[in-house]
Structure formats: C-alpha cells, structure tokens
Amino acid sequence: MLPSGFRASQRAIVFDLDGTLVDSVPDIHAAAAAFLIERGLQPLDLATITGFVGNGVPMLLERVLRAAGQDADPQSVAAALPRFNAIYGAAPAALSRLYPGVATALARLGEAGFALGICTNKPEAPARRMVKDLGIAGFFAALTGGDTLAQRKPDPAPLHHTVALLGVAPDAVVYVGDSEVDAATAAAAEVPFVLFTEGYRKTPVEAIAHHAPFSDFAILPEVLARLAATAVPRP
C-alpha cells in the first residue's frame, strides 16, 4: 500500500524504459554483435555497448560503427540503420529483464490512481513489443518512442507528447529515468525528475540534476508520495 491518505488525482508518472524499467543492454549488445559479425567485424564488449545507450538507435549505431573502425558519417549510419533495426526488432526482449520490483511498483501506482506512461528513445515498435513481452504493457496508457516524433530526448517534445496522450496537466507529471539524457529532458520540459540510480548513467548521482533518487523500486511509491507532499523546486 501507499502511505495512508495518499492518492493521486489527475496525476501522472512517465518512465524512461532502457536502464529504468528494463535492463535491456543484453539484447542491444546481442543485436550489435550480430550486426558486426555480419560485416566480418569483431563484436564490442557489453560495457562498451552500455556506454553507448541513451541517445537513440541512430546515435548508438554511429558509436558502434566508429568503435569498430567503420565509417560513421550520417550517410553510412542511415544506410546501416534498417539492417540493425531488423536484427534488434526481431527479439528486443529475449535477454532483457525488468529491474526487481518494477511490476509491483507499477501495480501500486496504478491502484493509487496515477496515469502511467513511457517516454523512451528506443524506437516505438520494439519498445511496445518489449513491454508486452515482459508483461507490463497493461500498466501504461501512453508510450512515445524515439521515432514517434521528429524529435528525440533530450528535446522535451516527446515528454510533452506523452503527457498530452495521458490527458493530464503538465504540472501534474513526474518523470522517472536513469540518465543524464533523462535529467536534461525533464529540465527542458520543466517537470520534476526522479533518478533511478542503478541504470545506465555515466556520471555520479550528485552530478545529475534530480529532485529525488532511488535505488530500489520497492520504495518508489514512497519517494513519489514524499515528492507530492512538498513543493517541488527546480533542480
């Protein structure tokens, strides 16, 4: 249960996906390895691929190509993108797993009356397949992917779009993510940001602007309750 007397009313929580709800790097790493092997190249290690995640697939692929010693100009990335998307899209959740406590936390938040959404830089089709395959699609009333709009995070447009789909006021939203990109997105959208500290961030927690941190989804409802009970200054 959430804290006594706490109930969301016309409020929403929007989540990032990769590194926030789902540890998805194993599938991204497998897709990148298969892509490079097809080209006669050596796969990159898991840690390297983890460092490439967060800015969308085109940027990921640019970094993969560059790290493999290949041309990584916009034309080369655009030419390679359909094949990479096909490899990854065939099984985006085969190796991915929810972080511990995610499903329970989502259920508690839904029962408390929050509208829930996802705003991710992962392309929309594999994002939808991932949440379906991992059994959490039913919790979400909206999902915006990295190719849903012309803009991607940290541009605030995808988060604003998700909020509009949820039908709540912009000042009734909290964004939950794991990275510098997510923090910048929340700041640009002028919404509070809650940082999941166990994801794919590249810098120390204290270097990322946030209103509240958490490392365990079991405490997320209480973190959100405390945030809702206080005036939220900008980070």
Side-chain angles (χ1 to χ4, degrees):
M1 297 292 292
L2 287 167
S4 177
F6 179 71
R7 185 127 185 118
S9 177
Q10 297 298 309
R11 296 191 64 84
I13 311 298
V14 179
F15 292 88
D16 173 51
L17 186 58
D18 297 305
T20 300
L21 297 173
V22 181
D23 182 10
S24 56
V25 162
D27 280 302
I28 298 171
H29 177 249
F35 171 82
L36 291 173
I37 289 169
E38 277 191 358
R39 293 177 163 231
L41 302 168
Q42 287 295 314
L44 303 171
D45 61 49
L46 183 68
T48 297
I49 296 298
T50 300
F52 292 167
V53 171
N55 296 94
V57 173
M59 181 61 73
L60 169 77
L61 187 55
E62 177 185 329
R63 291 164 173 165
V64 167
L65 288 169
R66 184 173 291 111
Q70 302 297 291
D71 291 336
D73 57 89
Q75 294 78 16
S76 298
V77 173
L81 194 58
R83 181 55 188 155
F84 180 84
N85 282 338
I87 293 170
Y88 181 64
L95 303 173
S96 299
R97 297 292 181 268
L98 297 176
Y99 284 104
V102 163
T104 299
L106 294 176
R108 292 173 67 191
L109 293 170
E111 289 166 0
F114 283 102
L116 303 181
I118 290 174
C119 180
T120 175
N121 272 342
K122 184 187 293 297
E124 184 174 339
R128 290 190 181 278
R129 178 167 176 181
M130 172 174 281
V131 296
K132 179 181 178 181
D133 289 353
L134 294 177
I136 59 172
F139 292 115
F140 298 103
L143 186 153
T144 301
D147 57 356
T148 303
L149 306 178
Q151 304 90 347
R152 285 190 296 273
K153 299 183 300 178
D155 191 291
L159 184 51
H160 286 316
H161 179 72
T162 311
V163 172
L165 291 175
L166 291 171
V168 300
D171 62 357
V173 177
V174 172
Y175 189 46
V176 179
D178 71 295
S179 72
E180 300 82 353
V181 171
D182 297 326
T185 303
E190 299 186 325
V191 303
F193 179 59
V194 173
L195 175 66
F196 177 55
T197 61
E198 306 308 296
Y200 304 152
R201 61 184 170 82
K202 302 170 181 64
T203 54
V205 169
E206 58 271 18
I208 300 175
H210 60 279
H211 293 89
F214 73 105
S215 60
D216 184 347
F217 271 87
I219 68 168
L220 177 59
E222 283 73 23
V223 170
L224 294 169
R226 290 195 297 272
L227 195 60
T230 60
V232 180
R234 294 194 62 181

